[in-house]
Amino acid sequence: MHDLDLAGGGSGDLAIDVAMMTRVEGEGSLRLRVRDGVVEEAHLEIFEAPRYFEQLVIGRTPDEVIDIVARICGICPVAYQMTAVHAFEHALHIPIDPQVRALRRLLYCGEWIESHALHIYLLHLPDFLGYASALELAKDHRSAVEAGLTLKKAGNRLVELIGGRAIHPVSVRVGGFSRTFRRSEITAIRGQLTEALDIAYQTVDLVAGLEPPAFHRDSRLVALRHPDEYPMNEGRIVSTDGLDIAATEWLTEFQESQVSWSHALQARDRAGRPYLLGPASRVTLAADQLHPLAASALAATGLADEIRTNPYRSIVARAIELVDATAEAIEIIDAYEPPDQAATPWQPGPGSAAWATEAPRGLIFHAYELDQNGLIRSACIVPPTSQNQAGIEADLASFAPQVLDLPRDQATHRIEQLVRSYDPCISCATHFLQLSVEDLS
Amino acid sequence: MVAVEVLVCGSQDRGDDGAPIAIMGRLRERLPPDVQVRAVGQLDVDDLLSIPYGAGVVIVDAATGIDPGVIVDLALTGLIGQPDGVHPRSSHALTMPEVVGLAEMLRGRPLRGRIVAIGGAHFSLGSNFSRPVNASLEPLSEAIVKAVASVRPSAGPV
């Protein structure tokens, strides 16, 4: 239930409590305190119980870690697997067959397609079109929901094909995969992806035509950037204000800290500044590396600048990435030749492992210390929502004054719509939302 | 010909969430051959779209909001009618009523189905069940068998 209680006399001194959550993916709330029309405090309160994954992996082998961290999230398990496996392979100097590399990118494309389709059509589009849920949306826009489900199914099938199952895939191993894939297995999905690509184009047209609330800010955007491809499994960490560091050096620029209002750690840069990750950051920082079909789709929207400054336009960035991931998946399939072996043999050993990849909702960082036996001695896992949390709070603080004078349903709607723009994940760190407002004066 | 599909939700490594998965073996022994038992993990619209027209469906899941070990058996139509349930609570996942509602809309007719749920106490990582859930595994199986009988095409109104 969404409920906005606007108590008090409208003096501009207000406290807004957004409280709620479900058990499946996480529990959290939002608290805003406003004085004289200025938001003094915007807290994203995450009270999902701590999940202790960083402790659960202690003493485990790298291959065990890959399967364990996939359990952190049912929507983006590939992101956790890819980040961990690349960290270990980098630390242990394990060479990877180019076809294995391509297959991993294909696996990640599947997760992006599935996650973005779900978010665009079933979670965010109802906000833009004024529906309370995907179910309500489907009554009037059945074809849109069917399009979203078709895209999602294509992504799921890719993950299932390469990962062994659609949720919590099991095939990724240090050095490669648990088995090789015949060319016929891989090409069997091509037709489904071709259909998905057509729908992805239509998705861009659809979401580019949506009217977003007027809200512009100049946030610090952060993403991976690779010289030859759109960022996914590899790249350097860059930002809109000139940061350029290796993916392994996340800890030199950023840090996590505990805040009193959240069980999730919050990440900021070492100067204390918030930043934002995700499709809008990637499209802003790596537009020149988009697949040509996605690049032309972005150009046709004319919205590249707005994607950078208006978070409500993130739905367009997400749609552009649907085109990118689908088009690239088709190219990978067309070029695929089975590798000589499923995985490069390797020997366990000590070392420091760190890596960053791009989850559907933004950059994810892992760091591990391996002991003399090659077992995990310590782990640091930083999901995108933990990193976005402070940036979301900053955007809410900037945006909230615009809705304080609106009727309760409209204010609720705008706040929820803004928060959904970041596609947060509380069990990787967030969930929502019931809104109430109390008068401070 | 499949008369009824039993869709088993849950995750084996998330405490009481794995209770429905744990009884799949004994379910298959008890149910007739025209009943298909399928593990789906997280229920997806596609799982329901693939139910043959005319066949019944029983969804089995763990739940919160009821006491641990307590078993509830609800018609799917009643589930969708609950106003709290149809609103998106999650930032990136659909609620079960939404999944059921979308499937019915896309199929063009209501599902002949029920959901059998067992209340859970903990859903954190681990394969052990809470004591109340452990004690209710057999009653859960019995409730599912009963629900299957009630959604057979030859049975009366669900």
Side-chain angles (χ1 to χ4, degrees):
Chain A
M1 283 285 285
H2 311 300
D3 183 28
L4 176 65
D5 295 324
L6 289 163
S11 65
D13 293 348
L14 294 169
I16 301 177
D17 287 321
V18 183
M20 177 201 134
M21 285 357 166
T22 54
R23 70 119 176 131
V24 183
E25 298 294 344
E27 298 185 352
S29 66
L30 174 68
R31 174 182 293 267
L32 292 170
R33 291 184 175 275
V34 185
R35 193 175 303 281
D36 295 330
V38 176
V39 177
E40 295 180 335
E41 181 182 278
H43 287 171
L44 197 55
E45 300 177 345
I46 293 176
F47 40 84
E48 167 81 1
R51 298 175 71 210
Y52 306 118
F53 272 92
E54 286 155 318
Q55 289 300 310
L56 287 169
V57 299
I58 303 295
R60 301 287 188 169
T61 67
D63 271 332
E64 287 174 328
V65 170
I66 291 166
D67 286 340
I68 291 171
V69 296
R71 297 299 178 130
I72 292 174
C73 184
I75 302 294
C76 51
V78 173
Y80 288 90
Q81 290 189 315
M82 286 296 105
T83 312
V85 79
H86 282 86
F88 295 132
E89 289 163 355
H90 180 256
L92 299 172
H93 309 289
I94 302 168
I96 298 303
D97 186 294
Q99 289 296 345
V100 167
R101 183 181 186 278
L103 276 176
R104 286 177 172 175
R105 208 166 156 87
L106 183 61
L107 177 61
Y108 225 150
C109 285
E111 181 164 283
W112 278 30
I113 294 167
E114 180 267 332
S115 178
H116 283 358
L118 172 69
H119 189 264
I120 290 171
Y121 280 100
L122 302 180
L123 300 171
H124 214 190
L125 191 57
D127 285 339
F128 281 92
L129 298 181
Y131 293 93
S133 69
L135 188 53
E136 295 298 315
L137 174 73
K139 289 176 183 169
D140 295 337
H141 301 279
R142 178 190 172 112
S143 61
V145 172
E146 285 179 325
L149 291 172
T150 301
L151 277 168
K152 183 174 177 298
K153 194 171 185 176
N156 278 346
R157 175 131 186 256
L158 255 184
V159 175
E160 189 172 12
L161 174 69
I162 310 294
R165 57 189 192 191
I167 298 173
H168 305 315
V170 291
S171 67
V172 177
R173 286 288 169 268
V174 176
F177 286 95
S178 57
R179 72 178 184 95
T180 55
F181 297 86
R182 297 188 304 277
R183 183 166 163 70
S184 60
E185 286 180 277
I186 301 297
T187 57
I189 197 176
R190 193 185 191 286
Q192 197 170 349
L193 287 168
T194 304
E195 181 191 6
L197 182 57
D198 284 341
I199 299 172
Y201 278 129
Q202 295 164 25
T203 305
V204 175
D205 288 343
L206 172 68
V207 300
L210 299 172
E211 193 60 41
F215 176 47
H216 294 276
R217 85 290 192 246
D218 190 18
S219 297
R220 187 187 198 204
L221 305 182
V222 173
L224 288 181
R225 180 176 167 79
H226 189 279
D228 304 319
E229 61 194 15
Y230 199 65
M232 202 170 267
N233 275 324
E234 298 164 25
R236 293 177 65 81
I237 300 172
V238 299
S239 73
T240 44
D241 60 354
L243 176 72
D244 186 353
I245 58 174
T248 53
E249 295 174 345
W250 186 91
L251 287 164
T252 66
E253 174 68 17
F254 305 101
Q255 60 184 343
E256 290 183 295
S257 62
Q258 185 76 60
V259 291
S260 60
W261 58 90
S262 176
H263 283 174
L265 296 174
Q266 276 199 5
R268 293 170 181 263
D269 70 13
R270 290 198 174 267
R273 294 177 300 173
Y275 58 98
L276 286 165
L277 313 167
S281 298
R282 290 191 292 257
V283 165
T284 298
L285 289 160
D288 58 323
Q289 298 294 357
L290 281 165
H291 187 282
L293 297 178
S296 68
L298 174 62
T301 68
L303 293 172
D305 283 344
E306 264 200 73
I307 285 171
R308 180 177 59 81
T309 59
N310 185 343
Y312 288 99
R313 285 296 196 188
S314 69
I315 194 170
V316 180
R318 214 164 266 117
I320 294 296
E321 288 192 339
L322 266 179
V323 174
D324 185 84
T326 311
E328 179 167 355
I330 292 170
E331 283 192 355
I332 292 171
I333 288 169
D334 289 346
Y336 176 71
E337 294 294 338
D340 294 334
Q341 53 188 356
T344 305
W346 59 281
Q347 293 297 319
S352 297
W355 204 255
T357 73
E358 285 285 354
R361 47 196 57 71
L363 185 148
I364 174 173
F365 174 78
H366 289 200
Y368 303 92
E369 289 294 327
L370 300 164
D371 67 16
Q372 290 299 320
N373 299 315
L375 303 178
I376 306 301
R377 190 165 55 204
S378 68
C380 170
I381 298 171
V382 188
T385 297
S386 296
Q387 297 179 74
N388 274 339
Q389 206 178 325
I392 294 172
E393 290 178 350
D395 275 359
L396 284 166
S398 299
F399 179 71
Q402 294 185 34
V403 302
L404 293 178
D405 293 331
L406 291 178
R408 74 161 58 180
D409 58 336
Q410 290 180 35
T412 304
H413 174 73
R414 290 299 187 216
I415 292 278
E416 290 194 17
Q417 188 180 4
L418 178 60
V419 174
R420 287 203 185 90
S421 297
Y422 312 96
D423 191 10
C425 175
I426 284 182
S427 60
C428 302
T430 302
H431 259 209
F432 294 108
L433 298 171
Q434 191 170 49
L435 190 65
S436 65
V437 180
E438 76 184 67
D439 190 346
L440 279 180
S441 63
Chain B
M1 173 94 179
V2 174
V4 179
E5 282 205 27
V6 179
L7 303 180
V8 182
C9 306
S11 181
Q12 283 170 294
D13 54 7
R14 296 301 293 268
D16 290 340
D17 201 40
I21 304 282
I23 60 164
M24 279 183 68
R26 71 177 87 172
L27 269 182
R28 288 194 172 108
E29 290 171 5
R30 287 187 190 189
L31 293 168
D34 62 349
V35 177
Q36 184 175 318
V37 181
R38 189 153 56 95
V40 297
Q42 192 173 320
L43 188 70
D44 195 272
V45 176
D46 282 335
D47 295 317
L48 295 171
L49 293 179
S50 67
I51 304 290
Y53 281 90
V57 59
V58 174
I59 301 166
V60 188
D61 201 0
T64 55
I66 50 178
D67 287 339
V70 169
I71 294 161
V72 296
D73 176 0
L74 300 167
L76 291 182
T77 47
L79 187 72
I80 298 166
Q82 292 175 13
D84 272 6
V86 296
H87 290 274
R89 295 289 186 91
S90 164
S91 60
H92 68 193
L94 297 178
T95 62
M96 187 174 287
E98 280 186 301
V99 171
V100 172
L102 280 172
E104 290 191 340
M105 193 167 297
L106 297 175
R107 288 167 67 95
R109 67 182 75 171
L111 284 156
R112 184 179 176 81
R114 303 191 72 81
I115 176 168
V116 179
I118 181 169
H122 71 84
F123 297 90
S124 51
L125 207 66
S127 57
N128 294 332
F129 301 137
S130 64
R131 190 172 296 177
V133 167
N134 209 34
S136 297
L137 293 178
E138 180 56 27
L140 177 62
S141 301
E142 290 168 4
I144 294 166
V145 171
K146 191 174 163 190
V148 165
S150 73
V151 302
R152 280 186 166 279
S154 55
V158 174

